[in-house]
Amino acid sequence: MSSTPASRPTSVTQLSLSHITAQHETNLLGTVHGGVIMTLVDSVAGVVAARHSGGAAVTASMDEMVFLVPVRVGDVVHFSSQVNWTGRSSMEVGVRITADRWDAVGPEVHVASAYLVFVAVDAEGKPREVPQVVPETDEELRRMREAEIRRSHRLARRAAIIASREEDRA
């Protein structure tokens, strides 16, 4: 009998991380490199995926990353992450990124959002089943519906690319 539960509520594996940006993470304009933000996004999403799946999970794709405003040196960047959708062995993890200044009291600004797909793997690196995510709020249900739309677009894009390559060979 497997020790992995059949389902797990979204709230159980949600994670928040805050990071104070430093000079060595910035470009010549004094804004933080997108790759620094992406690395932190992948890290926090990876923890959420591993916690939800009950073991190792690897990044399969970053479906989308939209930067809305730049992050400046000295900003405190906050990453909020949760599982939005689960399949048999894969799961979409969403990350919302906000920022505020380290030296001032002010509202957090929405900096970016990202959607990553992780696959749970066993000790041999083979895909393994994951618990199904159970949304608990209307917001989580909306996130699940939107994740299903992104998944259908990924699958359609993949099918179109394969068809195009087969057409080229004919």
Side-chain angles (χ1 to χ4, degrees):
M1 182 171 190
S2 172
S3 62
T4 303
S7 64
R8 185 169 276 144
T10 302
S11 62
V12 172
T13 58
Q14 289 174 334
L15 179 66
S16 295
L17 169 76
S18 294
H19 173 78
I20 302 170
T21 59
Q23 188 68 39
H24 71 276
E25 298 170 317
T26 63
N27 59 29
L28 295 175
L29 301 175
T31 59
V32 175
H33 287 285
V36 169
I37 300 298
M38 292 171 76
T39 297
L40 291 164
V41 162
D42 191 39
S43 293
V44 71
V47 170
V48 168
R51 286 180 175 181
H52 181 84
S53 68
V58 296
T59 309
S61 71
M62 180 176 278
D63 197 42
E64 186 174 308
M65 176 90 183
V66 178
F67 292 98
L68 304 171
V69 296
V71 175
R72 300 167 295 153
V73 66
D75 283 353
V76 181
V77 186
H78 310 278
F79 301 84
S80 301
S81 186
Q82 71 179 48
V83 174
N84 292 333
W85 172 90
T86 49
R88 189 187 68 74
S89 62
S90 63
M91 59 209 117
E92 182 193 273
V93 179
V95 183
R96 179 180 171 87
I97 303 103
T98 59
D100 53 13
R101 294 299 296 163
W102 70 273
D103 60 350
V105 176
E108 290 183 8
V109 176
H110 185 198
V111 170
S113 294
Y115 303 98
L116 298 88
V117 177
F118 285 82
V119 174
V121 294
D122 62 19
E124 287 79 44
K126 304 283 189 229
R128 61 180 175 78
E129 288 192 36
V130 299
Q132 295 304 292
V133 68
V134 179
E136 300 170 292
T137 67
D138 289 343
E139 174 76 6
E140 291 168 357
L141 284 168
R142 178 192 63 78
R143 288 174 186 246
M144 180 180 277
R145 284 192 310 270
E146 291 175 4
E148 289 169 345
I149 293 167
R150 282 186 290 275
R151 180 177 186 270
S152 69
H153 287 193
R154 277 192 309 275
L155 294 174
R157 184 176 58 237
R158 182 184 308 151
I161 289 169
I162 290 169
S164 173
R165 289 177 181 174
E166 289 171 355
E167 189 177 291
D168 287 346
R169 283 182 241 159

